[in-house]
Amino acid sequence: MSKPLEVLLLDDEPIVGRRLKPALDKIGCHVEIFESPIEAVARIDQKEFDIVVTDIRMEEMNGLQVFEHVKKKWPRTKVIIITGYAKMDLAREAMEKGIFDFIAKPFRPDDLRQIIARAAQALGTPIDLSLIKD
Amino acid sequence: MDYSMLCRVIQGEVIMGIFEKFKKFTRKEPGIKKFCIQTIRFRKLLENARGLLALLADGNEKVLGEYILDRHYVTSLVDSTVERLGMIIYDACVLAPEFGETLYMQYDKHKRRAGELISQNGIRDKKNMADDTNISSDPEYELLSDVLTWLNGESSDPGATVIDFMRQTFVRVLKHLDAGNNSKVELLLANNISKAPGSNMFLLDLWEDAVAPSAKPHSLDDIKCIPLKLLLMDTDGGNLSPLVDDKNKTATWIATSSEYQLSLKILEPDCSFHLEATVSGHERSDFIFIFADASINTENILPQGFLTETTDYGKLAWKLDATSKAIEDSLISIGRNLSQKNV
């Protein structure tokens, strides 16, 4: 059995982690959820995640700062940004800086799973989305 | 002729050109212009109503629970609703100024309700943080559900929901517009505008006739308006039904149109029928809207696929988000049905 994808999920809205974790578990990800960017960054310092999914707008630290931190510490890690409609320009700017992709709220869990599958492919550890049982 | 003289001549011609246009513009009959502006404003009202229905549809889709959404989505939905409703009320007050005070008072109530919903959000969020792990009681979803109830929930109080208030507003505007049907015919005749030869329909070009009404009647053969061409495709020389009990009566219709837009209505004192359509080939903007008063049996007029709402005054029917082909086919069917004397 292949090693599960290590995913860190950061969003200060509790609903995001609560709803996304089960959806990502289903595709064989091992997910750690955080609502505080400070705590998430502390965890990133300790552990190399395959994928970091982060909200862009948070009070203590924004998603781009989290991305910069990940990029410096773990260049291999793929970062996906969650954004609202109002922040689409910022997300596009982040794409130019090297984030893997972004997704705008509201979205379906499957939309994120598709992006994670592409990120997994890029990391050389492809996952099979057809195995999902909802 | 030297350069400076040439410039003066050109400037003079330009100024004269503008002056001639200005003279032409001021020569227009204000009544016709007002009628055309009213038509444009009513279409604006429909456009805003469509925007409001789209917000409701989006909320209804999101509340099913498949989406990851946040407070920002719900508060944006509330803000957009208030904004769109404000535009509808503004349009309605321009069209039917006598309802201004009543409509704005009701609008203010809805704005207050919107404010309450958003502030309720914070209270629910705190409650959720204290002791909730149940997905079905996510505060964002609870708030969205409350917002949708405000938008279109069950209520016995007229105008309590946004959609019912919008419906009432439409009826008020339509009643107001229909009140002057006789004077509209007089206005057209006073401006030497006559019906299209061989038809019972006045044809007005929405833009050209607003500036300067045409001296000679527009012919059905000259129609540039795509939706009107479709509507009259299967009719007998553009003669539409009187829609009243006396089927031998010759009813008067008016079609105000531009290339892609049609506003069609009957100009009879005891009958109200409005059709608004856009056929441009762009599916997101094409639509048909119909209002028929309670005396008209719309089952003989409407093809399949229309959404309808019945009010005390009559029936509202619309077809949105359909393919261009479906809109075109519907217009042909409606035209065919309207040309039958037994509708």
Side-chain angles (χ1 to χ4, degrees):
Chain A
M1 195 172 165
S2 60
K3 187 173 155 280
L5 271 180
E6 294 292 336
V7 177
L8 182 142
L9 181 56
L10 166 62
D11 197 307
D12 57 359
E13 301 266 3
I15 185 176
V16 177
R18 200 159 56 230
R19 292 207 165 209
L20 277 180
K21 188 176 184 315
L24 299 184
D25 286 345
K26 282 184 187 168
I27 55 170
C29 296
H30 177 253
V31 186
E32 292 186 33
I33 55 176
F34 291 86
E35 289 168 25
S36 156
I38 303 295
E39 288 173 21
V41 163
R43 182 65 178 138
I44 287 163
D45 285 340
Q46 294 168 354
K47 177 179 172 180
E48 182 181 10
F49 287 88
D50 297 307
I51 297 169
V52 169
V53 182
T54 174
D55 190 16
I56 202 160
R57 192 179 60 177
M58 293 172 291
E59 280 184 10
E60 297 160 310
M61 194 177 183
N62 70 37
L64 289 180
Q65 290 169 304
V66 174
F67 162 68
E68 296 289 354
H69 189 87
V70 174
K71 197 173 154 190
K72 207 180 290 175
K73 182 84 181 168
W74 310 107
R76 177 186 159 274
T77 301
K78 303 291 179 198
V79 177
I80 298 164
I81 287 202
I82 300 174
T83 178
Y85 283 128
K87 298 285 177 187
M88 290 292 268
D89 289 346
L90 203 56
R92 285 196 189 95
E93 186 189 320
M95 285 289 282
E96 286 165 17
K97 287 186 177 175
I99 66 151
F100 182 75
D101 207 344
F102 66 91
I103 188 164
K105 275 190 264 191
F107 61 89
R108 290 188 177 97
D110 199 47
D111 300 332
L112 182 63
R113 285 197 290 231
Q114 300 286 347
I115 296 175
I116 286 187
R118 283 197 290 106
Q121 181 80 36
L123 288 167
T125 51
I127 49 177
D128 187 357
L129 292 181
S130 66
L131 300 176
I132 301 168
K133 287 178 186 167
D134 281 319
Chain B
M1 191 185 293
D2 67 13
Y3 179 72
S4 62
M5 186 176 283
L6 181 65
C7 287
R8 282 200 296 276
V9 168
I10 291 170
Q11 279 172 350
E13 282 181 1
V14 168
I15 291 166
M16 280 301 287
I18 293 168
F19 184 66
E20 284 304 315
K21 280 183 183 166
F22 182 69
K23 275 207 311 190
K24 193 178 169 188
F25 191 73
T26 53
R27 204 165 52 221
K28 72 201 176 297
E29 291 300 327
I32 299 291
K33 184 186 172 195
K34 189 181 168 192
F35 180 78
C36 290
I37 289 173
Q38 215 173 45
T39 303
I40 293 165
R41 178 60 67 182
F42 186 71
R43 292 189 67 93
K44 200 73 198 160
L45 178 68
L46 282 176
E47 198 179 295
N48 285 320
R50 184 178 187 168
L52 196 52
L53 290 174
L55 289 171
L56 174 66
D58 194 62
N60 280 333
E61 186 192 357
K62 301 294 183 296
V63 83
L64 295 176
E66 289 179 14
Y67 281 84
I68 306 296
L69 50 86
D70 57 10
R71 283 190 302 264
H72 180 70
Y73 168 75
V74 191
T75 52
S76 294
L77 180 66
V78 172
D79 289 344
S80 304
T81 298
V82 168
E83 188 184 7
R84 193 63 86 161
L85 188 59
M87 291 180 193
I88 289 172
I89 300 310
Y90 176 78
D91 293 334
C93 290
V94 172
L95 287 164
E98 72 266 32
F99 297 120
E101 194 178 341
T102 312
L103 291 177
Y104 270 106
M105 271 171 64
Q106 271 188 283
Y107 176 55
D108 283 345
K109 275 189 193 171
H110 281 287
K111 278 206 293 190
R112 281 198 294 277
R113 178 70 188 127
E116 287 164 11
L117 282 163
I118 290 173
S119 59
Q120 173 187 328
N121 184 20
I123 297 164
R124 287 209 171 180
D125 192 42
K126 280 174 195 162
K127 181 186 155 205
N128 176 65
M129 285 169 77
D131 66 342
D132 195 4
T133 54
N134 184 354
I135 278 178
S136 67
S137 61
D138 277 326
E140 293 82 359
Y141 273 89
E142 284 187 15
L143 178 66
L144 180 55
S145 175
D146 290 348
V147 168
L148 291 171
T149 303
W150 165 60
L151 274 171
N152 197 29
E154 293 288 325
S155 174
S156 55
D157 183 14
T161 67
V162 170
I163 296 298
D164 192 50
F165 178 40
M166 182 178 83
R167 200 181 293 132
Q168 285 186 350
T169 304
F170 257 93
V171 168
R172 283 190 161 117
V173 168
L174 286 163
K175 274 185 176 171
H176 175 86
L177 294 178
D178 291 338
N181 276 352
N182 273 343
S183 62
K184 284 191 187 86
V185 176
E186 285 166 17
L187 171 77
L188 293 163
L189 296 175
N191 281 281
N192 297 320
I193 294 173
S194 43
K195 294 172 189 171
S199 128
N200 61 346
M201 189 184 293
F202 287 102
L203 297 178
L204 273 185
D205 184 292
L206 190 56
W207 302 106
E208 287 178 11
D209 288 325
V211 175
S214 174
K216 62 171 190 159
H218 296 293
S219 158
L220 293 175
D221 297 334
D222 300 334
I223 294 170
K224 294 176 198 156
C225 172
I226 295 166
L228 186 55
K229 275 184 184 174
L230 291 164
L231 189 100
L232 299 180
M233 191 176 275
D234 277 356
T235 63
D236 176 24
N239 273 303
L240 300 184
S241 163
L243 295 178
V244 290
D245 290 339
D246 180 2
K247 301 302 178 192
N248 292 318
K249 183 179 174 181
T250 304
T252 300
W253 289 77
I254 182 164
T256 312
S257 63
S258 63
E259 189 175 357
Y260 302 117
Q261 299 178 355
L262 168 66
S263 298
L264 177 76
K265 62 181 291 194
I266 193 165
L267 290 178
E268 294 298 319
D270 302 319
C271 185
S272 175
F273 182 89
H274 296 251
L275 179 148
E276 299 284 338
T278 294
V279 180
S280 64
H282 299 289
E283 285 174 15
R284 294 180 74 108
S285 59
D286 289 358
F287 75 96
I288 303 172
F289 165 84
I290 284 173
F291 173 78
D293 72 33
S295 71
I296 300 168
N297 183 0
T298 51
E299 290 196 1
N300 293 335
I301 298 171
L302 294 178
Q304 288 185 332
F306 274 73
L307 295 170
T308 60
E309 282 277 351
T310 303
T311 71
D312 293 343
Y313 185 46
K315 189 175 269 185
L316 302 160
W318 62 95
K319 189 174 229 179
L320 306 169
D321 303 323
T323 62
S324 296
K325 174 86 170 56
I327 298 280
E328 289 171 14
D329 288 347
S330 293
L331 269 177
I332 295 169
S333 294
I334 292 166
R336 191 186 304 129
N337 295 340
L338 284 176
S339 70
Q340 306 295 317
K341 287 216 163 187
N342 60 346
V343 293

